[in-house]
Amino acid sequence: MSLGDRIETATTRLNTTIVDSPRRVVIAFLVLTVLFTGGFGLISTETDSTESFTEDLPEQEALDAVNAEFEDPFEADDESTQLIHTGGNVLSKQALERNLRILERVERRDDLRMAGAGGPAPMIAQAIDPSATTAAEQRRVIERSSPSEIRRAIRDLSGTEQFSRLLSEDFNPSDPSASASMTSISHDVPSGFTDGDLTDIQTSVETIASDVPGDIRVFGTGITNAEMGNVIADSLSIVMPVVVVLLLAFLTVAYRDPIDLALGLLALLMTVIWTFGFLGYAGIPFNQQMISVPVLLLAVGVDFGIHIINRYREEAVRGFEPTEAMREANGQLLVAFVIVTITTVFGFGANVISDLGPIRNMGIASSVGIIFTFLIFGLFLPAAKLEVDRVRERLGVPEFNSAPIASEDSALGRALAFPAVVSRYAPVAFVVLLLLSGGVATAYGSGVDTSFETEDFLPPEEQPAYVTVLPEPFAPGEYTVTETINLLEERFATNQDQSVKLYVEGNFEEDHALESLAAPNDDPPDSLAVGEGGGARPQGSILTVINDHADRDPEFAALVARNDRDGNGIPDRNLDRIYDELFAADAGADAVLTEDRRSAQVTYAIESDASQSEAAADTREFAEDFRYTATATGSLVVFDAVTDVIFASAINGLIVAVGLTGVFLVISYGALERKPMLGVVNVFPILIAIAYLLGTMRLLGMSLNALTATILSISIGLGIAYSVHTTHRFIDEYNAGHDAHEAMVITLSGTGGALLGSMLTTSLGTGALALAITPVLGDFGLLMALSVTYSFVMAVVALPPAMLLWARYDAAGSITGLVASASGSS
């Protein structure tokens, strides 16, 4: 028995079980649904959307080392909270008192675990009175100080990098003023401290800050994670009602029978329950990317449901009794469902090879969900439909409208068959035209950008109008992180998006250490900001700390000069003593050099017009110029590394999806129909659709990001269904004795109606994600809607001429075989 015969035998037995024992099938699936419901309580939510993408990257490991070993007020690590103070002049006596009053209230509360604070207000207070070490003491120092004393302290501090980098770029040291300042609160946390604990601390600090006059906002990892967690629920509350309404509307039109509609919705609900239950049992966290999974499954489920009900109705119209009509319909569709399921798993599952954890998890969840979708719609729905129709007949409940969506004689059927009618006259020209247009779209789309930013996962500062007018309970909460990030970028000279870091490892007590650290600055890359002499000027390094302290302390300046043998301002002996003086004076050396003098960090500003990729590439190349081991890092470099992995994931996923799908279809049609070339024909329309999708992405200015990177392989998995269903129906008609043109007309006028209904519900359902309040989900939803639309259009437009050409090839092969057979027999 051949492979094709075995497949047909297996599907026939399965179909017989469904049709002959529908009640048992229904009960078994309902029991499984109850079991999967138990997994809901085990689902965890992943709120830090960016951290999961950067895990295990060398650049991130270097940044983790920097954050662990050095103090940086711009790095919102797991043990610090930032106060961003804005106003007319945050250096006024009144503004400084407000800032310190917040710190004092935080300090009083043991549950907020304040270990210390660094910022302009505490530094000014200590410059006036070095003995003021607590926030309360510092507030009293500012209260009793005269404005002239405060101005004098600010001028004394203005020459230090440590002070000026905490103030906005408009800082004026002459007549002390600045429009923004940053204060960092460090927390002494115990072992077992969680992200939730940090969120509680920072939201409490936020409440304290809101009670103090002035614009003082709180920023930190806990608040960012809280907003990223809230955005999941808020996006679901906006998207899912729209998806449900659209599904109800289009499924009502497609089914036109309330009982059939209820069955279809029950099957969709079961699919979601099974998939979410699996997530819980498998320990896969739910994050923003996972919001797309139920939408994708609903899209495939709708496709399966419409096909099975529509084909059943076609057979019933032909005069078959319900059991035989379902046996005939499901027997024809089951093989197609298996093919669609496997190819969809290939498309969705191709993301499992990604080096990025969230994309891998999405690939696993969506692949398993598609298998569940096949089982529920391929086995449960036909059985449930039969069982319900039997009860319906026994109770005398009438059918409301059981006609198929379209027929050969209907206006819709004729419209759908029009491409087949036209392409019969010049199929070669149509195929060549499609190949040329697809090639142009691919060439244009190859220039699509790749991006990865924190802002992708958070609502924009300005929300669309439809979001602001939503009533409760659909109205989203308040989001401030994006606005705060934008403020940091606009007001401050140094932040994570405008600077890069080098993590340098070596023995910094060696005489040549500081010379080696400064030498590469003479020939900086183009993207690094340079000083007046044409060399790179570090914003923060052990050298800048030495120079700053020497400017304020003549005795220390003399020490540096005595140990500068070549007179270039860089000491080259007795470095251990110089470091001791710096650490003893609390001059900020611990922010750039570890106490064991084995690791250092150097921060460089980048040119404002330099792109992320240019700056990251230049920094990596620059790191190779250092004598010691230097690693390029910083958020900009880490995020650029993620974009490289995202691009690789998108391309590799597409290659794997196309390769596995093509090979499988060739083998399947070779085994089932002895026509392997049908597999190649099947892939042709979806490749053209992908080419158009890429071109559209670039045309709309959309980029491959943390979620849209999956769109290429997912489009293969979701879009190939249209070609497979069309091809499977075409082969049934072709084998029944119709010529290729007639078979294609019958296919498009019949199955085309189901495809159209599926396309409308799927594109609008997935397109509803465009209403999500985060860019990453909005872009994905729009692209999914375009992908499904392109896939349907190409199944109707590109497949007919390709199939007609295949039919010529098949006929030529058959004639050759007959001639050879006749010659052999003679």
Side-chain angles (χ1 to χ4, degrees):
M1 183 182 292
S2 67
L3 176 61
D5 294 334
R6 291 176 181 174
I7 294 174
E8 289 185 358
T9 300
T11 54
T12 299
R13 289 176 179 173
L14 181 60
N15 190 36
T16 299
T17 301
I18 296 169
V19 173
D20 293 344
S21 306
R23 184 171 300 177
R24 293 180 182 178
V25 173
V26 170
I27 293 173
F29 272 78
L30 292 178
V31 170
L32 286 172
T33 301
V34 173
L35 293 177
F36 275 112
T37 303
F40 272 61
L42 303 176
I43 298 175
S44 60
T45 302
E46 187 176 69
T47 56
D48 192 339
S49 299
T50 58
E51 183 177 345
S52 55
F53 279 90
T54 61
E55 189 175 350
D56 296 331
L57 288 176
E59 293 85 354
Q60 180 62 46
E61 291 174 354
L63 185 57
D64 290 340
V66 169
N67 293 338
E69 297 179 6
F70 307 107
E71 297 179 359
D72 184 354
F74 283 91
E75 187 61 37
D77 59 33
D78 287 345
E79 299 178 0
S80 68
T81 301
Q82 285 70 45
L83 301 180
I84 316 299
H85 192 171
T86 57
N89 181 13
V90 297
L91 295 178
S92 68
K93 180 177 180 178
Q94 184 183 43
L96 295 174
E97 288 177 6
R98 288 174 177 173
N99 198 290
L100 289 168
R101 191 169 291 114
I102 294 174
L103 297 180
E104 182 180 1
R105 293 183 183 179
V106 173
E107 190 177 53
R108 286 177 184 170
R109 288 182 50 176
D110 293 338
D111 61 315
L112 300 184
R113 300 182 174 277
M114 177 171 162
M123 293 174 70
I124 293 168
Q126 286 194 303
I128 298 173
D129 183 357
S131 65
T133 57
T134 68
E137 293 170 345
Q138 291 164 0
R139 177 183 58 79
R140 287 192 290 269
V141 168
I142 296 298
E143 284 181 343
R144 65 172 178 255
S145 297
S146 65
S148 61
E149 288 178 304
I150 293 174
R151 285 196 296 270
R152 186 162 51 250
I154 294 173
R155 292 192 188 101
D156 291 341
L157 291 168
S158 63
T160 65
E161 182 76 20
Q162 187 181 15
F163 181 77
S164 60
R165 71 198 298 261
L166 298 175
L167 295 168
S168 53
E169 289 185 285
D170 59 5
F171 169 48
N172 180 4
S174 300
D175 181 17
S177 64
S179 63
S181 68
M182 176 181 290
T183 301
S184 179
I185 304 172
S186 60
H187 302 284
D188 183 12
V189 299
S191 59
F193 192 76
T194 66
D195 289 343
D197 295 330
L198 180 63
T199 298
D200 291 340
I201 286 177
Q202 292 183 344
T203 52
S204 296
V205 175
E206 193 171 34
T207 301
I208 292 173
S210 65
D211 292 336
V212 175
D215 187 0
I216 303 177
R217 66 190 68 197
V218 179
F219 182 59
T221 302
I223 289 178
T224 301
N225 288 346
E227 290 197 4
M228 285 186 174
N230 292 339
V231 83
I232 294 176
D234 285 344
S235 293
L236 285 173
S237 68
I238 294 174
V239 170
M240 294 313 296
V242 176
V243 172
V244 170
V245 169
L246 290 173
L247 282 176
L248 283 173
F250 282 94
L251 290 180
T252 299
V253 175
Y255 290 138
R256 288 154 293 148
D257 184 295
I259 295 178
D260 287 349
L261 174 62
L263 284 176
L265 292 175
L266 174 62
L268 290 173
L269 178 62
M270 289 171 61
T271 300
V272 174
I273 291 174
W274 283 34
T275 304
F276 276 73
F278 167 77
L279 291 179
Y281 287 130
I284 296 176
F286 190 87
N287 54 25
Q288 283 197 50
Q289 287 77 21
M290 288 294 180
I291 295 176
S292 65
V293 172
V295 177
L296 292 173
L297 300 183
L298 293 178
V300 177
V302 166
D303 175 66
F304 280 9
I306 290 178
H307 274 90
I308 190 65
I309 298 298
N310 196 63
R311 181 63 71 87
Y312 170 76
R313 289 175 176 178
E314 286 185 12
E315 300 303 329
V317 168
R318 292 172 58 189
F320 286 104
E321 292 298 318
T323 299
E324 292 308 311
M326 185 59 75
R327 190 187 309 275
E328 187 72 16
N330 210 41
Q332 293 174 346
L333 285 174
L334 208 52
V335 174
F337 282 173
V338 170
I339 294 174
V340 168
T341 299
I342 294 176
T343 52
T344 304
V345 168
F346 286 156
F348 290 10
N351 292 303
V352 174
I353 68 171
S354 173
D355 292 330
L356 301 173
I359 292 181
R360 282 199 307 271
N361 288 339
M362 182 182 172
I364 294 171
S366 56
S367 298
V368 172
I370 289 301
I371 295 173
F372 291 160
T373 303
F374 162 71
L375 294 174
I376 291 169
F377 281 88
L379 281 63
F380 168 78
L381 183 60
K385 171 64 176 170
L386 266 184
E387 192 62 25
V388 167
D389 278 1
R390 288 176 181 177
V391 174
R392 201 170 181 170
E393 184 178 356
R394 188 166 61 249
L395 298 177
V397 178
E399 293 184 352
F400 292 84
N401 191 328
S402 59
I405 295 176
S407 67
E408 191 173 350
D409 298 328
S410 67
L412 177 58
R414 289 193 297 272
L416 291 170
F418 181 73
V421 174
V422 175
S423 61
R424 71 180 299 190
Y425 299 106
V428 175
F430 273 97
V431 169
V432 171
L433 180 62
L434 288 166
L435 286 172
L436 288 175
S437 63
V440 171
T442 301
Y444 176 72
S446 63
V448 67
D449 289 333
T450 309
S451 69
F452 181 79
E453 299 176 344
T454 302
E455 292 91 322
D456 288 340
F457 301 91
L458 290 168
E461 185 174 347
E462 295 292 332
Q463 287 280 16
Y466 71 86
V467 174
T468 60
V469 298
L470 286 174
E472 295 291 345
F474 306 109
E478 183 179 357
Y479 293 90
T480 61
V481 170
T482 301
E483 183 180 1
T484 302
I485 291 174
N486 292 338
L487 185 148
L488 291 174
E489 292 177 354
E490 294 169 1
R491 301 286 186 92
F492 292 88
T494 304
N495 62 61
Q496 295 299 305
D497 292 326
Q498 295 177 333
S499 64
V500 292
K501 293 182 179 181
L502 290 177
Y503 177 55
V504 188
E505 299 172 279
N507 182 2
F508 285 91
E509 291 186 347
E510 295 177 337
D511 289 348
H512 62 80
L514 297 183
E515 295 280 5
S516 298
L517 200 63
N521 295 334
D522 294 335
D523 185 22
D526 294 337
S527 61
L528 294 193
V530 298
E532 295 180 0
R537 182 180 181 277
Q539 288 185 313
S541 76
I542 186 60
L543 285 170
T544 62
V545 172
I546 289 173
N547 292 333
D548 287 344
H549 192 55
D551 290 341
R552 300 193 311 272
D553 187 336
E555 186 176 340
F556 180 75
L559 173 65
V560 172
R562 286 197 304 271
N563 291 284
D564 178 12
R565 288 178 291 193
D566 56 9
N568 65 348
I570 301 174
D572 42 27
R573 65 181 177 185
N574 294 326
L575 298 185
D576 55 341
R577 182 182 173 188
I578 291 173
Y579 299 150
D580 289 340
E581 292 284 342
L582 285 174
F583 278 92
D586 193 21
D590 55 357
V592 290
L593 183 69
T594 55
E595 289 190 12
D596 63 3
R597 291 79 187 271
R598 294 286 176 176
S599 301
Q601 72 158 321
V602 187
T603 303
Y604 292 94
I606 62 172
E607 295 288 352
S608 59
D609 59 350
S611 67
Q612 175 178 277
S613 59
E614 291 171 344
D618 282 350
T619 306
R620 293 188 184 99
E621 184 178 349
F622 189 50
E624 298 176 0
D625 296 338
F626 284 74
R627 180 170 181 173
Y628 292 125
T629 301
T631 304
T633 186
S635 292
L636 182 146
V637 176
V638 172
F639 282 10
D640 181 72
V642 175
T643 63
D644 291 341
V645 180
I646 285 175
F647 183 77
S649 296
I651 300 304
N652 293 337
L654 176 62
I655 293 172
V656 169
V658 172
L660 290 177
T661 299
V663 170
F664 172 74
L665 290 176
V666 168
I667 294 174
S668 297
Y669 285 115
L672 294 171
E673 305 291 344
R674 306 293 190 273
K675 305 179 191 306
M677 283 301 295
L678 277 176
V680 177
V681 176
N682 251 222
V683 175
F684 172 67
I686 192 64
L687 290 181
I688 302 298
I690 294 295
Y692 282 11
L693 183 65
L694 266 176
T696 303
M697 285 185 68
R698 184 177 178 186
L699 183 65
L700 296 178
M702 304 173 77
S703 61
L704 293 171
N705 58 34
L707 187 53
T708 59
T710 64
I711 194 70
L712 301 181
S713 59
I714 285 178
S715 295
I716 296 291
L718 204 57
I720 198 68
Y722 294 94
S723 295
V724 169
H725 281 305
T726 305
T727 301
H728 195 75
R729 177 66 180 272
F730 169 83
I731 288 300
D732 285 344
E733 303 298 337
Y734 187 71
N735 290 339
H738 298 286
D739 64 30
H741 171 67
E742 291 173 341
M744 184 55 70
V745 170
I746 294 172
T747 295
L748 293 181
S749 58
T751 298
L755 290 176
L756 176 62
S758 173
M759 182 273 290
L760 291 174
T761 52
T762 303
S763 61
L764 289 172
T766 56
L769 283 171
L771 300 176
I773 57 177
T774 57
V776 69
L777 280 171
D779 290 352
F780 182 81
L782 178 57
L783 289 174
M784 278 307 309
L786 290 172
S787 170
V788 170
T789 302
Y790 288 164
S791 298
F792 166 76
V793 170
M794 289 305 154
V796 174
V797 174
L799 192 59
M803 200 64 78
L804 292 177
L805 290 182
W806 168 85
R808 292 182 184 178
Y809 158 83
D810 184 61
S814 300
I815 293 172
T816 302
L818 289 173
V819 171
S821 176
S823 300
S825 61
S826 62

